[in-house]
Amino acid sequence: MKLVVAVVQDQDSNRLSSALTKNNFRATKLASTGGFLRSGNTTFLVGTEDSLIPQLLDIIRDNCRSREQMVSPVSPLGGNADSYIPYPIEVEVGGATVFVLPIEQFHHF
């Protein structure tokens, strides 16, 4: 048994949620915020059997795409302003950050 924690950009959240449901994966969705860009994310928690991990990873990969986006960096508060860039920059956003963790016990009541 594994617990898969997938952090995805909000733009990919509904598409991934639908794909998980369609493929009979039950997931818990949590609203989260990224630390770097301070943008909205959704964190999915999925408990599943070891044998289904490749299928689950394929679903996540197929539904969470990275893209280029222009962002305005947040100015540092109380930090060193020497490295602050005051104009929008293009960064890669999206995709998914996925953690696969072993589960010692699983109970569903």
Side-chain angles (χ1 to χ4, degrees), residues 9-29:
Q9 192 176 35
D10 278 345
Q11 289 177 305
D12 298 324
S13 174
N14 288 335
R15 185 173 47 251
L16 178 58
S17 182
S18 295
L20 291 173
T21 301
K22 179 181 174 185
N23 288 280
N24 297 317
F25 285 101
R26 295 190 313 187
T28 298
K29 287 174 46 172

Side-chain angles (χ1 to χ4, degrees), residues 30-103:
L30 304 171
S32 53
T33 303
F36 176 63
L37 298 175
R38 292 177 173 74
S39 61
N41 294 324
T42 301
T43 300
F44 288 85
L45 304 176
V46 184
T48 191
E49 297 296 329
D50 292 12
S51 62
L52 295 175
I53 293 296
Q55 178 187 359
L56 177 56
L57 293 176
D58 286 343
I59 292 168
I60 295 170
R61 185 179 301 107
D62 292 344
N63 288 280
C64 299
R65 296 176 182 85
S66 60
R67 60 191 72 75
E68 297 292 323
Q69 178 177 319
M70 296 298 287
V71 297
S72 296
V74 178
S75 64
L77 298 175
N80 185 353
D82 293 338
S83 62
Y84 174 64
I85 303 170
Y87 50 87
I89 58 172
E90 189 173 53
V91 297
E92 185 176 312
V93 298
T97 301
V98 182
F99 303 92
V100 180
L101 308 167
I103 299 300

